[in-house]
Amino acid sequence: MKKIPMRMCVACREMRTKKELMRIVKTADGTLSLDLSGKLNGRGAYLCRAENCLLRAVKTRAFERALEAPLSEPVIEALREEILKNGPAV
């Protein structure tokens, strides 16, 4: 039986399967971007596919703490669009 990778949402701190979460990656040049493939090189942080988790992560600066880099407005907008487009992955 294959083990299912679990990750924690930076906002609500719930453990979920990797497929249920979105990954934000800090690349070698220090920029943050949305990683839809889940395979980009760099340090990653995960977020639930729920708008309230995105709002909480922005408000509490969870990505800044987890990745030690500022989260830009275009990345926040890309996350919001991805949540609205696909909705919660259950």
Side-chain angles (χ1 to χ4, degrees), residues 3-60:
K3 187 177 175 189
I4 299 171
M6 300 291 282
R7 298 293 183 267
M8 184 184 291
C9 172
V10 294
C12 67
R13 314 289 291 167
E14 275 189 39
M15 293 294 287
R16 296 178 183 268
T17 64
K18 207 171 156 182
K19 289 183 187 272
E20 290 180 58
L21 302 170
M22 295 183 293
R23 182 173 187 245
I24 293 75
V25 66
K26 178 182 175 184
T27 57
D29 63 2
T31 59
L32 301 185
S33 61
L34 179 59
D35 177 13
L36 294 175
S37 68
K39 297 180 194 285
L40 288 178
N41 285 335
R43 182 166 178 84
Y46 293 85
L47 181 72
C48 292
R49 293 179 184 267
E51 196 163 9
N52 62 338
C53 276
L54 174 60
L55 295 174
R56 184 186 299 172
V58 171
K59 183 179 178 183
T60 63

